[in-house]
Amino acid sequence: MTKTVLITGISGFIAKHCAVELLEAGYRVRGTVRDLSKAETVRATLTAYADADRLDFAEADLLADDGWGAAMQGVDGVLHLASPFPLAQPSDPDKLVRPAVEGTRRVFGAARRPSVGRLVQTSSVAAILAGHPREREAPYTEADWTIVDGPGVTAYERSKTLAEREGRAIAAEAGPSFHYSTVNPGFVLGPALDADVGASADLVLMMLRGKYPGMPRMSFPVVDVRDVAKAHRLALETSQPSGGRYLVASEPARMIDIARALRAGLGQEARKVPNRELPDFLVKIVALFDPAARSSVPKLGLHARFDNSQTREALGMDFIPLSESAPAMARSLIALGRV
């Protein structure tokens, strides 16, 4: 019998790729949307990349109880992706923390029924890397956790950490019959399937448009969205014990490395992309007026190394390199008329 997987927040950038990955692997997919009027737009996108005959939708919102019980009917597994992701941090952290944590409770509460044997929660490296001492030299692994009260921790990093902690607590309470794991991606690049890509593509768009004369001196792990989708499917199918935590990233990259990958991969189409790093003091001046730059200031000069050999072995994954993932995102945005 064909298994049915529920994808929460299916209209999101990563979620649409997860839907394609599962449909291509033969699953039935049900996606949640906050408003069913959005469903046909998502269907139209996915039809271009996979057989959407095995796709249906349910209406459910992270901040409301209605709809989640119905969404789980006949479901064998869940990919919980729905969570807010802003480029600029909100003035009120609860705008991110509340839907992330409360949404996790609602989804898990509805999923704790006999038919739903597996749940994969989309977390982030934001739940691993933040709040640690700047002088740390040891590479980060799947065993590390963001220190939510540490210096410079953003509302987004706090929301992802608390939501994953909540998910793990509920899964532990549910017991061994409920198989749970998290996928913790780095900064996600790779091709957009349609123009609704949200904040994930904003950095590349700003580079292509020449918004800044240079890039802040900061770095983070990066990953291709196609690898993120594959990791979700493998985490759903794995024979590894419940509780797995999968750090999904290809390599650490400075922002200037992303810019250089764009220039190398796109040629003249990347003519406005910066080719130098900005001094820290200039970034701090820009941050006085630009919310996106403001969230970068605590991370200036940090270069977090990581070791995800455990994830590579457990899921049997190799990763698409930055040299391919960054230009792939840019080309898709150009083709979609976003630049």
Side-chain angles (χ1 to χ4, degrees):
M1 186 177 76
T2 301
K3 291 186 176 181
T4 299
V5 178
L6 180 72
I7 298 178
T8 69
I10 196 171
S11 63
F13 172 46
I14 298 173
K16 286 190 288 260
H17 274 274
C18 286
V20 170
E21 176 77 21
L22 291 179
L23 289 168
E24 288 288 282
Y27 290 90
R28 289 192 60 84
V29 171
R30 179 175 300 147
T32 69
V33 288
R34 284 180 291 180
D35 187 331
L36 278 176
S37 65
K38 297 180 179 179
E40 289 312 307
T41 301
V42 177
R43 181 185 295 278
T45 293
L46 297 180
T47 298
Y49 298 93
D51 180 1
D53 288 344
R54 287 175 279 107
L55 173 68
D56 66 275
F57 297 90
E59 187 172 274
D61 189 310
L62 291 179
L63 293 178
D65 293 331
D66 294 346
W68 288 107
M72 295 288 174
Q73 292 296 326
V75 165
D76 302 286
V78 176
L79 301 187
H80 176 38
L81 285 103
S83 188
F85 175 42
L87 186 64
Q89 299 300 312
S91 56
D92 180 3
D94 273 350
K95 289 183 178 179
L96 293 180
V97 174
R98 184 180 167 225
V101 175
E102 288 188 14
T104 297
R105 291 186 191 128
R106 284 190 172 88
V107 171
F108 278 59
R112 286 178 62 176
R113 57 180 66 239
S115 67
V116 185
R118 289 183 170 241
L119 188 149
V120 180
Q121 181 180 10
T122 310
S123 187
S124 171
V125 294
I128 293 175
L129 302 178
H132 297 272
R134 291 182 67 90
E135 61 271 17
R136 172 174 171 150
E137 295 184 359
Y140 290 86
T141 72
E142 296 85 350
D144 286 300
W145 281 89
T146 280
I147 302 169
V148 293
D149 296 322
V153 175
T154 65
Y156 175 70
E157 291 162 340
R158 184 177 176 83
S159 74
K160 296 305 290 187
T161 306
L162 294 178
E164 185 182 344
R165 291 281 196 190
E166 185 73 15
R168 290 187 173 276
I170 297 170
E173 189 179 286
S177 63
F178 186 70
H179 191 281
Y180 167 81
S181 59
T182 63
V183 172
N184 296 64
F187 187 82
V188 183
L189 298 165
L193 301 184
D194 59 20
D196 184 14
V197 290
S200 295
D202 283 350
L203 175 63
V204 171
L205 283 171
M206 287 191 297
M207 290 185 183
L208 292 172
R209 293 168 180 167
K211 180 175 180 180
Y212 299 121
M215 303 312 302
R217 195 174 59 90
M218 58 184 291
S219 71
F220 33 73
V222 296
V223 66
D224 191 287
V225 67
R226 293 164 290 189
D227 284 335
V228 180
K230 181 179 179 181
H232 277 79
R233 177 179 61 79
L234 293 174
L236 190 71
E237 298 171 344
T238 186
S239 60
Q240 296 287 324
S242 181
R245 196 176 194 221
Y246 304 114
L247 199 171
V248 177
S250 62
E251 62 215 90
R254 295 177 300 163
M255 291 184 76
I256 193 62
D257 294 330
I258 298 174
R260 287 169 178 162
L262 294 174
R263 294 175 72 89
L266 293 167
Q268 184 63 15
E269 288 181 303
R271 62 190 178 278
K272 295 182 181 179
V273 173
N275 59 7
R276 65 189 181 94
E277 285 187 317
L278 292 174
D280 292 353
F281 79 89
L282 279 181
V283 178
K284 292 175 182 177
I285 292 172
V286 173
L288 296 174
F289 313 98
D290 187 327
R294 194 173 306 136
S295 64
S296 302
V297 170
K299 316 298 183 188
L300 292 173
L302 290 177
H303 184 68
R305 296 183 299 118
F306 67 90
D307 177 1
N308 65 348
S309 55
Q310 178 180 317
T311 291
R312 289 174 182 265
E313 181 177 352
L315 298 184
M317 285 196 68
D318 291 317
F319 291 98
I320 298 167
L322 172 66
S323 58
E324 182 178 338
S325 61
M329 172 167 270
R331 290 190 196 99
S332 68
L333 294 171
I334 291 169
L336 290 163
R338 291 292 306 276
V339 180

